[in-house]
Amino acid sequence: MAERTLILAFETSCDETSVAVVENGTKILSNIVATQIDSHQRFGGVVPEVASRHHIEWITRCTDQALAEANVSYNDIAAVAVTYGPGLVGSLLIGVTAAKAIAWAHNLPLVPVNHMTGHLYAARYVGEFKYPQMALLVSGGHTELVYMKAEHEFEIIGETRDDAAGEAYDKIGRVLGVNYPAGKTIDEWAAKGEDTFHFPRAMEKEANYDFSFSGLKSAFINTVHNADQRGEKLNKYDLAASFQQSVVDVLAEKTMRALDRYPVKQLILAGGVAANHGLRSRLDHDMHKYHPDVTMLQAPLKLCGDNAAMIGAAGYMCYQHGDRAGMDLNAEPGLMYGRMK
């Protein structure tokens, strides 16, 4: 019988308090997520101080529930994994502090995990990873193309220079009167509209793999505000479709060119925006057309948002590679992978 290694994982990088128990990096025994959406909706986005206070309120309850649902005790746990960056510093500190306290009290190894590695490893629940590999990580705060020559080797070859894709969705959502988080609603509206506004595709043809969505956001907002000043009512479905088409075109174009340059066996799609049906459909089409020999693993829809199960999967990998942290582990809100030389 294969060895059973259980990871107790913590994720508190933004506005979800989550604790999970994961077996061997591939089996979720529990994944408790306490969301704060209702608390932040009235502000139109995440308020860091509010998020931190909610984490304090929920972290112990989520931990107890995760252990109970998995039907395990601390004696069954091999290691404690925790997101220590990137994210909101106050939120990260709650998870890091809880993980350190448990690791110290029960004499368990403490495994530090990059939040974006966690998003990437959400796809590990779909299938086995094969290397070399490319990942398109698209979330509320990050848009990155990450090349992995081998397991545990991460290299950013492209990233957003301003607004991340998910951030842009939320900002234009406010203009349309869509509650935070806006991504799901914009995606649904886009399916009912057409790309009639032809918003700019920033940096689409530039000889790099970086992204920029600030100009798109500004063009969208200016279009809506100018129409409002003229008393003109624009079709919200066409607006959503036009915005989303611009985002998807740039993400797909850059990803395909990255795959042209870096021969890989797999493409991973992960992060909160990876739940977008328009993006999934476009990448499915382009992969079959341009890179039929490269398999694509898409993170499960229920694991695209922030959750501790993804940290457990990544934490298991890091644990196997000997990653350990001491009791001096601190939150690193600006944590990044190594950039391309």
CSV table of all heavy atoms in Angstrom, one decimal, residues 52-92:
chain,number,residue,atom,x,y,z
A,52,SER,N,-9.1,41.0,7.1
A,52,SER,CA,-8.2,40.4,8.2
A,52,SER,C,-9.1,40.1,9.4
A,52,SER,O,-8.9,39.0,10.0
A,52,SER,CB,-7.2,41.5,8.6
A,52,SER,OG,-6.3,41.8,7.5
A,53,ARG,N,-10.0,40.9,9.7
A,53,ARG,CA,-10.9,40.6,10.9
A,53,ARG,C,-11.7,39.4,10.7
A,53,ARG,O,-11.9,38.6,11.6
A,53,ARG,CB,-11.8,41.9,11.2
A,53,ARG,CG,-11.0,43.1,11.7
A,53,ARG,CD,-11.9,44.3,11.9
A,53,ARG,NE,-11.1,45.4,12.4
A,53,ARG,CZ,-10.8,45.7,13.7
A,53,ARG,NH1,-11.3,44.9,14.6
A,53,ARG,NH2,-10.1,46.7,14.0
A,54,HIS,N,-12.2,39.2,9.5
A,54,HIS,CA,-13.0,38.0,9.2
A,54,HIS,C,-12.1,36.7,9.3
A,54,HIS,O,-12.6,35.7,9.8
A,54,HIS,CB,-13.6,38.1,7.8
A,54,HIS,CG,-14.9,38.8,7.8
A,54,HIS,ND1,-16.1,38.4,8.4
A,54,HIS,CD2,-15.2,40.0,7.2
A,54,HIS,CE1,-17.0,39.2,8.2
A,54,HIS,NE2,-16.6,40.3,7.5
A,55,HIS,N,-10.9,36.8,8.8
A,55,HIS,CA,-10.0,35.7,9.0
A,55,HIS,C,-9.8,35.3,10.4
A,55,HIS,O,-9.8,34.1,10.8
A,55,HIS,CB,-8.6,36.0,8.3
A,55,HIS,CG,-8.6,36.0,6.8
A,55,HIS,ND1,-9.2,35.0,6.1
A,55,HIS,CD2,-8.2,37.0,6.0
A,55,HIS,CE1,-9.1,35.4,4.8
A,55,HIS,NE2,-8.5,36.5,4.7
A,56,ILE,N,-9.6,36.3,11.3
A,56,ILE,CA,-9.4,36.0,12.7
A,56,ILE,C,-10.6,35.3,13.3
A,56,ILE,O,-10.5,34.4,14.1
A,56,ILE,CB,-9.2,37.3,13.5
A,56,ILE,CG1,-7.8,37.9,13.1
A,56,ILE,CG2,-9.2,37.1,15.0
A,56,ILE,CD1,-7.6,39.4,13.6
A,57,GLU,N,-11.8,35.7,12.8
A,57,GLU,CA,-13.1,35.2,13.3
A,57,GLU,C,-13.2,33.7,12.9
A,57,GLU,O,-13.8,32.9,13.6
A,57,GLU,CB,-14.2,36.0,12.8
A,57,GLU,CG,-15.6,35.5,13.2
A,57,GLU,CD,-16.7,36.4,12.7
A,57,GLU,OE1,-16.4,37.4,12.1
A,57,GLU,OE2,-17.9,36.0,12.8
A,58,TRP,N,-12.8,33.4,11.6
A,58,TRP,CA,-13.1,32.1,11.1
A,58,TRP,C,-12.0,31.0,11.1
A,58,TRP,O,-12.2,29.8,10.9
A,58,TRP,CB,-13.6,32.3,9.6
A,58,TRP,CG,-15.0,32.8,9.5
A,58,TRP,CD1,-15.4,34.1,9.3
A,58,TRP,CD2,-16.2,32.0,9.7
A,58,TRP,NE1,-16.7,34.2,9.3
A,58,TRP,CE2,-17.2,32.9,9.5
A,58,TRP,CE3,-16.4,30.7,9.9
A,58,TRP,CZ2,-18.6,32.5,9.6
A,58,TRP,CZ3,-17.7,30.3,10.0
A,58,TRP,CH2,-18.8,31.1,9.8
A,59,ILE,N,-10.7,31.4,11.3
A,59,ILE,CA,-9.6,30.5,11.1
A,59,ILE,C,-9.7,29.3,12.0
A,59,ILE,O,-9.5,28.1,11.5
A,59,ILE,CB,-8.3,31.2,11.2
A,59,ILE,CG1,-7.1,30.4,10.7
A,59,ILE,CG2,-8.0,31.7,12.7
A,59,ILE,CD1,-7.1,30.2,9.2
A,60,THR,N,-10.0,29.5,13.2
A,60,THR,CA,-10.1,28.3,14.2
A,60,THR,C,-11.3,27.4,13.8
A,60,THR,O,-11.1,26.2,13.8
A,60,THR,CB,-10.2,28.8,15.6
A,60,THR,OG1,-9.1,29.6,15.9
A,60,THR,CG2,-10.3,27.6,16.6
A,61,ARG,N,-12.4,28.0,13.5
A,61,ARG,CA,-13.6,27.2,13.2
A,61,ARG,C,-13.3,26.4,11.9
A,61,ARG,O,-13.7,25.2,11.8
A,61,ARG,CB,-14.8,28.1,13.0
A,61,ARG,CG,-15.4,28.5,14.3
A,61,ARG,CD,-16.7,29.3,14.1
A,61,ARG,NE,-16.4,30.7,13.9
A,61,ARG,CZ,-17.4,31.7,13.8
A,61,ARG,NH1,-18.6,31.3,13.8
A,61,ARG,NH2,-17.0,32.9,13.7
A,62,CYS,N,-12.7,27.0,10.9
A,62,CYS,CA,-12.4,26.3,9.6
A,62,CYS,C,-11.4,25.1,9.9
A,62,CYS,O,-11.6,24.1,9.3
A,62,CYS,CB,-11.8,27.3,8.6
A,62,CYS,SG,-13.0,28.4,7.9
A,63,THR,N,-10.5,25.4,10.7
A,63,THR,CA,-9.5,24.3,11.1
A,63,THR,C,-10.2,23.1,11.7
A,63,THR,O,-10.0,22.0,11.3
A,63,THR,CB,-8.4,24.9,12.0
A,63,THR,OG1,-7.8,26.0,11.4
A,63,THR,CG2,-7.3,23.8,12.3
A,64,ASP,N,-11.0,23.4,12.7
A,64,ASP,CA,-11.7,22.3,13.4
A,64,ASP,C,-12.6,21.6,12.5
A,64,ASP,O,-12.7,20.3,12.5
A,64,ASP,CB,-12.5,22.9,14.6
A,64,ASP,CG,-11.7,23.4,15.7
A,64,ASP,OD1,-10.5,23.1,15.8
A,64,ASP,OD2,-12.2,24.2,16.5
A,65,GLN,N,-13.3,22.3,11.6
A,65,GLN,CA,-14.2,21.7,10.6
A,65,GLN,C,-13.5,20.8,9.6
A,65,GLN,O,-13.9,19.7,9.2
A,65,GLN,CB,-15.1,22.7,9.9
A,65,GLN,CG,-16.2,22.1,9.1
A,65,GLN,CD,-17.2,23.2,8.6
A,65,GLN,OE1,-17.1,24.3,9.0
A,65,GLN,NE2,-18.0,22.8,7.6
A,66,ALA,N,-12.3,21.3,9.2
A,66,ALA,CA,-11.5,20.6,8.2
A,66,ALA,C,-11.0,19.2,8.7
A,66,ALA,O,-11.1,18.2,8.1
A,66,ALA,CB,-10.3,21.4,7.7
A,67,LEU,N,-10.6,19.2,10.0
A,67,LEU,CA,-10.1,18.0,10.6
A,67,LEU,C,-11.3,17.1,10.8
A,67,LEU,O,-11.1,15.8,10.6
A,67,LEU,CB,-9.4,18.3,11.9
A,67,LEU,CG,-8.1,19.1,11.8
A,67,LEU,CD1,-7.6,19.6,13.2
A,67,LEU,CD2,-7.0,18.2,11.2
A,68,ALA,N,-12.4,17.6,11.3
A,68,ALA,CA,-13.6,16.8,11.6
A,68,ALA,C,-14.1,16.1,10.3
A,68,ALA,O,-14.4,14.9,10.2
A,68,ALA,CB,-14.7,17.6,12.2
A,69,GLU,N,-14.2,16.9,9.2
A,69,GLU,CA,-14.7,16.4,7.9
A,69,GLU,C,-13.8,15.3,7.4
A,69,GLU,O,-14.3,14.3,6.8
A,69,GLU,CB,-14.9,17.5,7.0
A,69,GLU,CG,-15.7,17.1,5.7
A,69,GLU,CD,-16.0,18.3,4.8
A,69,GLU,OE1,-16.8,19.2,5.3
A,69,GLU,OE2,-15.5,18.3,3.6
A,70,ALA,N,-12.5,15.5,7.5
A,70,ALA,CA,-11.5,14.5,7.0
A,70,ALA,C,-11.4,13.3,7.9
A,70,ALA,O,-10.8,12.3,7.6
A,70,ALA,CB,-10.2,15.2,6.9
A,71,ASN,N,-12.0,13.4,9.1
A,71,ASN,CA,-12.0,12.4,10.2
A,71,ASN,C,-10.5,12.0,10.5
A,71,ASN,O,-10.1,10.8,10.6
A,71,ASN,CB,-12.7,11.1,9.7
A,71,ASN,CG,-13.0,10.1,10.8
A,71,ASN,OD1,-13.1,10.5,11.9
A,71,ASN,ND2,-13.1,8.9,10.4
A,72,VAL,N,-9.7,13.1,10.8
A,72,VAL,CA,-8.4,12.9,11.2
A,72,VAL,C,-8.1,13.8,12.4
A,72,VAL,O,-8.8,14.7,12.7
A,72,VAL,CB,-7.4,13.2,10.0
A,72,VAL,CG1,-7.6,12.3,8.9
A,72,VAL,CG2,-7.5,14.7,9.6
A,73,SER,N,-6.9,13.5,13.0
A,73,SER,CA,-6.5,14.3,14.1
A,73,SER,C,-5.1,14.9,13.8
A,73,SER,O,-4.5,14.5,12.7
A,73,SER,CB,-6.4,13.5,15.4
A,73,SER,OG,-5.3,12.6,15.3
A,74,TYR,N,-4.5,15.7,14.6
A,74,TYR,CA,-3.2,16.3,14.3
A,74,TYR,C,-2.2,15.2,14.3
A,74,TYR,O,-1.1,15.3,13.6
A,74,TYR,CB,-2.8,17.3,15.4
A,74,TYR,CG,-3.6,18.6,15.3
A,74,TYR,CD1,-4.5,19.0,16.3
A,74,TYR,CD2,-3.4,19.4,14.1
A,74,TYR,CE1,-5.2,20.2,16.1
A,74,TYR,CE2,-4.1,20.6,14.0
A,74,TYR,CZ,-5.0,21.0,15.0
A,74,TYR,OH,-5.7,22.2,14.9
A,75,ASN,N,-2.4,14.0,15.0
A,75,ASN,CA,-1.5,12.9,15.0
A,75,ASN,C,-1.3,12.3,13.6
A,75,ASN,O,-0.3,11.6,13.3
A,75,ASN,CB,-1.9,11.9,16.0
A,75,ASN,CG,-1.7,12.3,17.4
A,75,ASN,OD1,-0.9,13.2,17.7
A,75,ASN,ND2,-2.6,11.8,18.3
A,76,ASP,N,-2.4,12.5,12.7
A,76,ASP,CA,-2.3,11.9,11.4
A,76,ASP,C,-1.7,12.8,10.4
A,76,ASP,O,-1.4,12.4,9.3
A,76,ASP,CB,-3.8,11.6,10.9
A,76,ASP,CG,-4.5,10.7,11.8
A,76,ASP,OD1,-4.0,9.6,12.1
A,76,ASP,OD2,-5.6,11.1,12.3
A,77,ILE,N,-1.4,14.1,10.7
A,77,ILE,CA,-0.9,15.1,9.8
A,77,ILE,C,0.6,14.9,9.7
A,77,ILE,O,1.3,14.8,10.7
A,77,ILE,CB,-1.3,16.5,10.3
A,77,ILE,CG1,-2.8,16.6,10.4
A,77,ILE,CG2,-0.7,17.5,9.3
A,77,ILE,CD1,-3.5,16.4,9.1
A,78,ALA,N,1.1,15.0,8.4
A,78,ALA,CA,2.6,14.9,8.2
A,78,ALA,C,3.2,16.3,8.2
A,78,ALA,O,4.4,16.4,8.6
A,78,ALA,CB,2.8,14.2,6.9
A,79,ALA,N,2.5,17.3,7.7
A,79,ALA,CA,3.0,18.6,7.6
A,79,ALA,C,1.9,19.7,7.5
A,79,ALA,O,0.8,19.3,7.2
A,79,ALA,CB,4.0,18.7,6.4
A,80,VAL,N,2.3,20.9,7.9
A,80,VAL,CA,1.3,22.0,7.7
A,80,VAL,C,1.8,22.9,6.6
A,80,VAL,O,3.0,23.4,6.6
A,80,VAL,CB,1.3,22.8,9.1
A,80,VAL,CG1,0.3,24.0,8.9
A,80,VAL,CG2,0.8,21.9,10.2
A,81,ALA,N,1.0,23.2,5.6
A,81,ALA,CA,1.3,24.0,4.5
A,81,ALA,C,0.5,25.3,4.6
A,81,ALA,O,-0.6,25.3,5.0
A,81,ALA,CB,1.1,23.3,3.2
A,82,VAL,N,1.1,26.4,4.2
A,82,VAL,CA,0.4,27.7,4.3
A,82,VAL,C,0.9,28.7,3.2
A,82,VAL,O,2.0,28.7,2.9
A,82,VAL,CB,0.7,28.4,5.7
A,82,VAL,CG1,2.2,28.6,5.9
A,82,VAL,CG2,-0.1,29.6,5.9
A,83,THR,N,-0.1,29.4,2.7
A,83,THR,CA,0.2,30.5,1.8
A,83,THR,C,0.9,31.7,2.5
A,83,THR,O,0.3,32.1,3.5
A,83,THR,CB,-1.1,31.1,1.1
A,83,THR,OG1,-1.7,30.0,0.4
A,83,THR,CG2,-0.8,32.2,0.2
A,84,TYR,N,2.1,32.1,2.1
A,84,TYR,CA,2.7,33.2,2.8
A,84,TYR,C,2.9,34.4,1.8
A,84,TYR,O,3.5,35.4,2.2
A,84,TYR,CB,4.1,32.7,3.4
A,84,TYR,CG,5.2,32.5,2.4
A,84,TYR,CD1,6.3,33.3,2.4
A,84,TYR,CD2,5.2,31.4,1.6
A,84,TYR,CE1,7.3,33.1,1.5
A,84,TYR,CE2,6.2,31.1,0.7
A,84,TYR,CZ,7.3,32.0,0.7
A,84,TYR,OH,8.4,31.8,-0.2
A,85,GLY,N,2.4,34.3,0.6
A,85,GLY,CA,2.4,35.4,-0.4
A,85,GLY,C,2.2,34.8,-1.7
A,85,GLY,O,2.3,33.6,-1.9
A,86,PRO,N,1.9,35.7,-2.7
A,86,PRO,CA,1.5,37.1,-2.5
A,86,PRO,C,0.1,37.2,-2.0
A,86,PRO,O,-0.7,36.2,-2.0
A,86,PRO,CB,1.7,37.6,-4.0
A,86,PRO,CG,1.3,36.4,-4.8
A,86,PRO,CD,1.9,35.2,-4.1
A,87,GLY,N,-0.3,38.4,-1.6
A,87,GLY,CA,-1.6,38.7,-1.2
A,87,GLY,C,-1.7,39.9,-0.3
A,87,GLY,O,-0.7,40.7,-0.2
A,88,LEU,N,-2.7,40.1,0.5
A,88,LEU,CA,-2.9,41.2,1.4
A,88,LEU,C,-2.1,40.8,2.7
A,88,LEU,O,-2.3,39.8,3.3
A,88,LEU,CB,-4.4,41.4,1.7
A,88,LEU,CG,-5.3,41.7,0.5
A,88,LEU,CD1,-6.7,41.8,1.0
A,88,LEU,CD2,-4.9,43.0,-0.1
A,89,VAL,N,-1.3,41.7,3.1
A,89,VAL,CA,-0.3,41.4,4.2
A,89,VAL,C,-1.1,41.0,5.5
A,89,VAL,O,-0.8,40.0,6.2
A,89,VAL,CB,0.7,42.5,4.5
A,89,VAL,CG1,0.0,43.8,4.9
A,89,VAL,CG2,1.7,42.1,5.5
A,90,GLY,N,-2.2,41.8,5.8
A,90,GLY,CA,-2.9,41.5,7.0
A,90,GLY,C,-3.6,40.1,7.0
A,90,GLY,O,-3.6,39.4,8.0
A,91,SER,N,-4.1,39.8,5.8
A,91,SER,CA,-4.8,38.5,5.6
A,91,SER,C,-3.8,37.4,5.7
A,91,SER,O,-4.0,36.3,6.3
A,91,SER,CB,-5.6,38.5,4.3
A,91,SER,OG,-6.6,39.4,4.3
A,92,LEU,N,-2.7,37.5,5.0
A,92,LEU,CA,-1.7,36.5,5.0
A,92,LEU,C,-1.2,36.2,6.4
A,92,LEU,O,-1.0,35.0,6.7
A,92,LEU,CB,-0.5,36.9,4.1
A,92,LEU,CG,-0.7,36.9,2.6
A,92,LEU,CD1,0.4,37.7,1.9
A,92,LEU,CD2,-0.8,35.5,2.0
